[in-house]
Amino acid sequence: MTTDKDKEKDDAEGEAEKAESTEESRSESEAEAESEAEESETETESESELESASPPATSDEELVMPTQMGHKRFVYAAYLSGAIAIAFIGHKLIDYAWYKLHDWKPNSIPESSDELSVVVALALAAGVTLYYWRQAKARILVEEVAEELTKVTWPTRQEVTSSTTVVIITTLLATVFFALMDQFWLWVTKHVYGS
């Protein structure tokens, strides 16, 4: 008696458990499929944004836009600008030192040679730039500064124009005010001291 009813109960419970596990596996697989679909949509959107942002390639090779370098472009520009500044200042200092040495001992030291001082200044600039490029602390500092600069909200052209106009008008008004005050006190001084 109990065996037939127990078997039916066991069969019903087994089928219910199978149905539940099937539904759970379906819901898990559906959730995975949905997340994969969302990821592929996001990738497709980002790829389409990149494609729309960059101009078409002129040949088989892809063009690299400066914005794709991110804040690194500012780092490279800073190192290049530093190298140019060091080369310029180094050239002037070497030229000046050579000139002074020539004045001190004109017979033993020849006149300065621009070609030689430029080459030495360029070598000095390259050496200093490479030294600081290899210094991890210096490079990290420059990269952090450049990254922070990318977060700055720069003013629009209209804001700059209006601010500049305000500064110029205020400067002119202050100039006129102080010129009038100067003339007034000159007049007062002349009448008081009677010259």
Side-chain angles (χ1 to χ4, degrees), residues 121-193:
L122 286 175
L124 174 72
V128 170
T129 304
L130 286 175
Y131 173 78
Y132 281 107
W133 179 259
R134 291 176 181 237
Q135 294 293 320
K137 286 184 179 180
R139 193 171 62 246
I140 289 171
L141 175 68
V142 172
E143 287 178 2
E144 287 175 355
V145 168
E147 187 174 0
E148 287 298 318
L149 281 175
T150 59
K151 297 177 185 177
V152 172
T153 304
W154 298 99
T156 63
R157 183 182 184 104
Q158 184 180 6
E159 291 172 340
V160 171
T161 304
S162 62
S163 298
T164 305
T165 304
V166 167
V167 168
I168 290 172
I169 289 173
T170 305
T171 304
L172 290 174
L173 290 175
T175 303
V176 169
F177 173 75
F178 287 117
L180 290 175
M181 290 302 291
D182 185 47
Q183 291 301 315
F184 171 74
W185 287 111
L186 179 66
W187 179 78
V188 169
T189 306
K190 281 185 180 179
H191 282 2
V192 169
Y193 293 111

Side-chain angles (χ1 to χ4, degrees), residues 38-104:
E38 290 174 0
E39 288 176 7
S40 66
E41 287 176 8
T42 306
E43 290 175 3
T44 306
E45 288 174 3
S46 63
E47 287 175 1
S48 64
E49 288 174 2
L50 285 175
E51 289 173 0
S52 65
S54 61
T58 55
S59 64
D60 292 333
E61 60 186 84
E62 292 287 323
L63 292 176
V64 177
M65 299 299 294
T67 54
Q68 292 173 341
M69 290 172 41
H71 68 275
K72 292 275 191 184
R73 64 184 178 189
F74 297 119
V75 174
Y76 299 141
Y79 275 98
L80 180 64
S81 300
I84 291 171
I86 291 169
F88 179 77
I89 293 169
H91 168 64
K92 295 298 179 184
L93 288 175
I94 291 169
D95 218 23
Y96 179 74
W98 199 315
Y99 175 75
K100 285 296 184 184
L101 285 173
H102 177 70
D103 277 354
W104 181 51

